[in-house]
Amino acid sequence: MLAVAVFTALFAVSQAQAQQAASPAKADDEPTTLATMTVTAQKREEAMQDVPISVTALPEQLLKDTGVRDIKDLQVLVPGLTVTSTQSEALTTARIRGIGTVGDNAGLESSVGVVIDGVYRARNGVGFGDLGELERVEVLKGPQGTVFGKNTSAGVINIITRRPSYSQSAEGEITVGNYGAIGVSGSYNDALSDNAAFRIYATKRKRDGFLDVETSRGPRTLDEDGDQNFHSIRAQLLLEPTDNLDINFIGDFTSREENCCSAVQTVVGSTAAIINGVGGAGSIPTVADPFARIAHSNRSTEQDMKDKGISAEVNWESPWFGGATLTSITALRDWQSINALDFDYTGADLLYRNANEDESLTRFETFSQEFRLTGATDSIDWMVGAFYADEDLTRHDSYSIGVGYEPFLSTALLARINPALAASPTAPLFLSQTTGRAFGTTFAPGLGALDRYDQNAKSLALFTNNTWHATDALDLTLGLRYTREKKTLDSVYSNPNGAPACASYFGPTGAPSAAAIGRIATALTTRGIPFASLPAAQQQALIGNIIGFSCLPWANALHNGRSTQQEREEKEWSGTLKAAYRWNENVMTYVSAARGYKGGGFNLDRVQTSNGLSSGGQGIIPVNDTSFDGEFVDSYELGAKTTWLDGNLLLNATLFHQTYEDFQLNSFLGTSFVVRSIPKVTSRGVDTEILWQPSKGLMLQGGLMYADTFYGDERPTPDFVAPDGALYKLPGNKTSFAPEWSGTASATYEWDFGASLVGRFNIGAKYTSEFNTGSDLDVEKMQDAYTVVNARFGIGAKSKRWMLEFWGLNIFDEEYVQVGFDGPLQTASATPNDPRNTYNAFLGAPRTYGVTFRIQY
């Protein structure tokens, strides 16, 4: 109904708009036109209102006014865009129209691609930092794989930075804010000769953490988390040796050495008493108060990220095909992250990861090359191209076991069998008795699991995108892409401590030994459970439960010494077909159909099931084939782009329907992150946007999106079957991180102060309706509707030599959750409101404010 109303309104007033355009405006009041805004959504410069794509274009000044420095900041300006981060800022995830990826799995590529100056980036996390001097940002919604490369089945964030120019200029900035924030940045641009220029930008930013941390007995001593400490430098060299040739070299380096990311408890279950008994009082709150912003962690969360790269873009106006332009973009990038982690998010010493390269490393080394030949005739705009990428992914993953792991797991396991048994003073000894090992050695504190993953991905694609101007009013566009991708993965698993608890249960045949069963029977019988008189099925269930908890992935002896080699190759077509009709100079409508594709891959984690197959239920048998299939989307759009008031009001709307097949859902199943292929996911709705400059100095920007995004009814594996399957709530329900409604609004006003000063004010807001923040849709992970409001006021020189700005982000201190998840080892079932369950969350940023002083020469 909303879509019909929008389109009816657009067409009903198109004739009136044409009459208004004929009336001359007063010269003094005539604002600068918006209709000439250009984008590169089809890899060629075009007026935004002529491009048959749902695209939000954010110009440089608007990005400055709203304080955008990274892709996470873009949310306040783009309806339908959600950006979250979890246990590391390296795991930042972008979603468009409710579609994206989530979780700690470096083998899973994003459905929303990030492209910076024409170079595709390996993961969204590279866009979470300081993007530097921005010329504009384009957010393209829907599958864009035809021209923007692989793995853009939900959309693209296309970032264009400022290039060198031939005028000498220098800019500087210093920022001071709450939480001890301080930042400095500067840039210098100059000409080297008549045909060469350079630009250099550098920044350094620091800030205290958003969370206070209760460290319990340590060894952690740092009492805050979520701080910021990074520096970045970016240099460009532009060469234009001839009138028809330009070459732009870019080199950049970013270093981030921070502490991130602790989580808080949103629901506290009955395991809290066990946590506090093992780790000492105050290891976990007894009543959840997440927005007190107090985390509990006895282990480090330090992170060290390095991102560096070089690229060269060559544009040559060739003598071929009537002056077609040949573009070459060559890039070499190296990104790595080392992260410590307190896996249990409590002050008890249960599970953790150390921050050293041997035990915690994710690294991407990527070479990419793109060639495009673009030309035009009187009737056809055409482009052909090729893309090649060679990516090496290295991951070192580990789990270290703390001294509190054995007593906690013993007591928690007894509490599952019979809650009354957890109160016994001998409860911490339970697993030492079932394994026959001395207490304190059952799980051998220290490095418990150490795994190595080496993945290579080679991708080759040929593509074309062509627009035929069939008439003066009708354009037809055909885009095709053929992609061939080959991935290989070598995995080596080890348990440096030998996984003694798990190993103690199995005899030479690989089945539980008679001695182990006898120890289990004795340990239960002495606690009042008449094991011998129980039915056989109940005996087997108890044995399976005890062995299963003793052989969780990081402590499973069946993984020790195991190595696997996996390989997959995909050859797929994707593409788009569009028809755009310009009814008059003010109204253009279009219809499009697109087939998008995102490659499959491998789970880079310990995966184990009941039968050793990915399709199996819960169990302890290692899975050798950890692959998951490619993701496909069929997308249909009906859109309108309209221009009003002499080009100073843009009103656009898009009706969309997207159906995903084999949607790649990365889920935390309580013990590991595993990608599950969802047979069908549908996203449908309407997206509207407005950009209006009603008078000189006043700019209004906003948008409203309705998106109904939901899973299909299929239940492909036991994980989706109630009551034990971790994902049984998904079929037929709305997807996680997919609000039905989201809206943005921003207003900027600039006015003169006397003869030499100017004032500038901006206020922007983002509304998000309720949505679930967990991949398994637990009701405890629902986030209510919320609105974040940012504001900025500045006063400066009309000459733009200087500007003093006072700013605030989330000025009303709205409290909201980014991602909710099960408390590791602290949930007993997937049943809603189970009092035994503890849930955690990563919070959104609190209110921040400060002052920025800019100077320009």
Side-chain angles (χ1 to χ4, degrees):
M1 292 173 63
L2 176 62
V4 172
V6 169
F7 282 99
T8 301
L10 294 178
F11 283 98
V13 295
S14 62
Q15 189 60 38
Q17 157 61 18
Q19 295 173 359
Q20 291 177 5
S23 302
K26 294 181 180 179
D28 294 342
D29 297 332
E30 187 172 355
T32 304
T33 181
L34 301 174
T36 57
M37 288 181 60
T38 60
V39 295
T40 52
Q42 298 187 109
K43 292 289 181 78
R44 64 169 80 234
E45 283 204 359
E46 301 171 280
M48 184 177 71
Q49 295 301 90
D50 291 335
V51 178
I53 295 175
S54 178
V55 53
T56 299
L58 307 171
E60 177 185 10
Q61 188 59 58
L62 181 60
L63 295 170
K64 281 185 176 181
D65 288 337
T66 50
V68 170
R69 298 193 185 279
D70 57 50
I71 63 171
K72 208 167 189 179
D73 296 333
L74 290 173
Q75 297 179 93
V76 76
L77 295 172
V78 183
L81 173 66
T82 304
V83 185
T84 59
S85 53
T86 54
Q87 62 193 35
S88 163
E89 299 292 14
L91 303 175
T92 299
T93 299
R95 300 174 185 83
I96 293 177
R97 296 174 177 170
I99 300 296
T101 55
V102 65
D104 182 14
N105 185 351
L108 179 62
E109 300 175 58
S110 175
S111 299
V112 177
V114 174
V115 177
I116 303 178
D117 290 328
V119 178
Y120 173 80
R121 300 304 181 93
R123 300 296 184 270
N124 289 168
V126 302
F128 191 79
D130 195 308
L131 295 172
E133 300 176 293
L134 298 174
E135 180 178 311
R136 70 180 181 276
V137 175
E138 303 167 2
V139 180
L140 285 61
K141 302 170 183 177
Q144 305 295 329
T146 305
V147 296
F148 274 96
K150 64 176 190 173
N151 302 328
T152 56
S153 56
V156 167
I157 300 174
N158 186 29
I159 299 164
I160 300 95
T161 67
R162 287 167 64 183
R163 285 169 61 112
S165 66
Y166 288 93
S167 59
Q168 185 185 53
S169 65
E171 298 181 22
E173 173 194 307
I174 183 167
T175 294
V176 178
N178 64 332
Y179 290 97
I182 185 167
V184 294
S185 65
S187 66
Y188 182 73
N189 182 94
D190 207 349
L192 294 172
S193 66
D194 290 341
N195 55 11
F198 75 95
R199 186 175 203 94
I200 187 167
Y201 169 83
T203 185
K204 168 72 174 178
R205 302 191 186 279
K206 297 186 70 175
R207 189 201 64 221
D208 296 337
F210 289 155
L211 291 177
D212 294 325
V213 179
E214 296 288 346
T215 61
S216 192
R217 298 169 181 171
R220 176 177 178 145
T221 58
L222 184 66
D223 60 0
E224 65 178 39
D225 198 81
D227 60 342
Q228 187 179 80
N229 179 22
F230 71 85
H231 60 268
S232 182
I233 186 169
R234 180 184 183 87
Q236 300 185 66
L237 174 64
L238 175 64
L239 303 177
E240 296 181 305
T242 67
D243 291 341
N244 59 0
L245 176 65
D246 70 76
I247 308 168
N248 193 41
F249 297 97
I250 303 176
D252 64 90
F253 173 80
T254 298
S255 174
R256 301 182 62 181
E257 298 174 355
E258 302 165 347
N259 297 276
C260 189
C261 303
S262 289
V264 298
Q265 285 72 32
T266 55
V267 176
V268 177
S270 58
T271 54
I274 306 173
I275 292 286
N276 285 324
V278 170
S283 294
I284 189 174
T286 55
V287 177
D289 186 10
F291 294 104
R293 297 188 180 273
I294 298 175
H296 295 75
S297 177
N298 71 302
R299 290 287 179 173
S300 171
T301 54
E302 60 186 295
Q303 60 180 12
D304 183 356
M305 288 182 280
K306 300 290 188 288
D307 181 25
K308 56 188 176 183
I310 55 174
S311 66
E313 179 176 341
V314 181
N315 291 285
W316 176 46
E317 187 178 325
S318 74
W320 310 326
F321 308 109
T325 298
L326 177 64
T327 300
S328 167
I329 302 177
T330 308
L332 184 64
R333 300 210 59 83
D334 185 346
W335 180 87
Q336 71 172 39
S337 174
I338 298 172
N339 290 89
L341 183 62
D342 189 338
F343 282 104
D344 52 273
Y345 299 98
T346 74
D349 196 24
L350 306 185
L351 281 175
Y352 61 96
R353 177 188 295 154
N354 292 311
N356 62 64
E357 185 173 326
D358 186 57
E359 298 180 26
S360 170
L361 173 69
T362 300
R363 184 176 187 181
F364 294 95
E365 297 173 281
T366 309
F367 169 79
S368 64
Q369 174 65 59
E370 181 173 335
F371 291 109
R372 298 194 306 269
L373 188 63
T374 306
T377 67
D378 291 341
S379 59
I380 297 177
D381 297 332
W382 56 270
M383 177 179 68
V384 294
F387 174 82
Y388 174 77
D390 189 343
E391 175 188 274
D392 287 317
L393 165 58
T394 302
R395 186 179 189 194
H396 300 166
D397 193 20
S398 67
Y399 289 82
S400 289
I401 294 174
V403 295
Y405 183 79
E406 180 182 343
F408 170 79
L409 197 63
S410 293
T411 307
L413 183 53
L414 277 176
R416 284 179 175 236
I417 296 171
N418 183 346
L421 298 177
S424 168
T426 64
L429 304 176
F430 179 61
L431 288 177
S432 70
Q433 295 167 349
T434 64
T435 61
R437 297 184 58 86
F439 177 74
T441 68
T442 304
F443 291 94
L447 190 58
L450 183 62
D451 302 334
R452 300 281 187 267
Y453 304 93
D454 292 291
Q455 176 179 289
N456 176 260
K458 290 183 173 65
S459 180
L460 176 64
L462 303 175
F463 60 91
T464 182
N465 197 69
N466 311 285
T467 298
W468 174 38
H469 307 295
T471 70
D472 290 341
L474 177 63
D475 290 342
L476 301 176
T477 299
L478 173 65
L480 285 174
R481 189 181 192 94
Y482 174 76
T483 301
R484 177 183 179 272
E485 184 166 90
K486 182 177 181 180
K487 290 183 178 178
T488 58
L489 173 65
D490 294 320
S491 306
V492 178
Y493 305 87
S494 68
N495 291 90
N497 66 359
C502 183
S504 72
Y505 294 111
F506 300 104
T509 63
S513 67
I517 294 174
R519 292 194 301 267
I520 291 173
T522 300
L524 290 172
T525 301
T526 58
R527 287 172 169 79
I529 298 176
F531 183 84
S533 61
L534 294 176
Q538 193 171 351
Q539 289 181 352
Q540 289 302 314
L542 284 169
I543 293 171
N545 201 17
I546 292 168
I547 294 177
F549 271 82
S550 301
C551 299
L552 293 171
W554 49 83
N556 189 345
L558 300 179
H559 288 285
N560 191 29
R562 193 168 65 91
S563 63
T564 62
Q565 295 79 41
Q566 300 182 71
E567 181 177 314
R568 62 180 294 117
E569 184 174 9
E570 299 176 12
K571 301 175 182 178
E572 301 293 346
W573 287 92
S574 55
T576 185
L577 180 63
K578 305 173 185 177
Y581 190 81
R582 182 159 290 283
W583 299 85
N584 54 48
E585 63 179 4
N586 305 307
V587 178
M588 184 269 282
T589 60
Y590 66 93
V591 60
S592 70
R595 174 75 161 173
Y597 158 70
K598 183 172 78 155
F602 306 101
N603 287 292
L604 272 59
D605 207 339
R606 292 190 172 194
V607 182
Q608 55 190 51
T609 65
S610 58
N611 57 6
L613 301 176
S614 292
S615 58
Q618 293 184 4
I620 65 170
I621 301 176
V623 174
N624 289 326
D625 180 6
T626 68
S627 64
F628 51 87
D629 293 333
E631 177 180 293
F632 297 87
V633 56
D634 292 320
S635 175
Y636 304 94
E637 294 188 358
L638 174 64
K641 296 196 171 184
T642 67
T643 306
W644 312 86
L645 305 179
D646 297 327
N648 290 291
L649 172 61
L650 310 182
L651 181 59
N652 302 331
T654 306
L655 184 68
F656 61 88
H657 188 287
Q658 302 172 161
T659 302
Y660 288 79
E661 300 173 13
D662 292 326
F663 177 75
Q664 297 167 0
L665 177 73
N666 196 26
S667 300
F668 180 60
L669 299 181
T671 57
S672 59
F673 286 93
V674 179
V675 175
R676 291 288 186 248
S677 291
I678 309 296
K680 183 178 179 181
V681 172
T682 301
S683 178
R684 59 193 181 191
V686 62
D687 186 1
T688 64
E689 293 194 75
I690 182 174
L691 190 61
W692 183 20
Q693 187 167 282
S695 63
K696 184 177 181 181
L698 178 61
M699 177 73 74
L700 305 175
Q701 184 262 357
L704 180 66
M705 176 181 287
Y706 170 79
D708 183 18
T709 307
F710 54 93
Y711 297 112
D713 294 326
E714 299 84 357
R715 299 182 183 270
T717 69
D719 288 325
F720 295 84
V721 179
D724 298 324
L727 305 177
Y728 80 86
K729 302 181 184 74
L730 271 60
N733 286 316
K734 292 187 178 299
T735 62
S736 53
F737 306 99
E740 280 194 348
W741 292 94
S742 62
T744 65
S746 173
T748 304
Y749 183 60
E750 183 175 297
W751 68 99
D752 293 340
F753 277 118
S756 60
L757 296 179
V758 64
R760 192 172 183 88
F761 175 73
N762 172 271
I763 186 167
K766 170 73 173 288
Y767 167 79
T768 304
S769 65
E770 68 173 10
F771 63 97
N772 197 294
T773 66
S775 58
D776 52 10
L777 297 185
D778 287 338
V779 295
E780 292 86 353
K781 299 167 187 173
M782 284 297 296
Q783 168 60 52
D784 293 335
Y786 66 94
T787 302
V788 173
V789 180
N790 302 337
R792 183 176 297 255
F793 168 73
I795 184 170
K798 279 187 180 181
S799 63
K800 297 187 178 181
R801 285 294 180 89
W802 63 270
M803 174 73 76
L804 181 66
E805 300 174 347
F806 302 87
W807 53 267
L809 305 178
N810 191 9
I811 60 176
F812 297 113
D813 203 19
E814 187 79 336
E815 298 175 340
Y816 63 98
V817 164
Q818 291 189 83
V819 178
F821 62 101
D822 294 1
L825 301 173
Q826 299 164 62
T827 54
S829 75
T831 303
N833 302 310
D834 188 327
R836 298 173 294 174
N837 294 346
T838 291
Y839 296 96
N840 296 347
F842 299 103
L843 302 180
R847 174 173 49 221
T848 57
Y849 51 86
V851 180
T852 297
F853 179 69
R854 305 181 194 268
I855 189 169
Q856 179 176 315
Y857 167 75

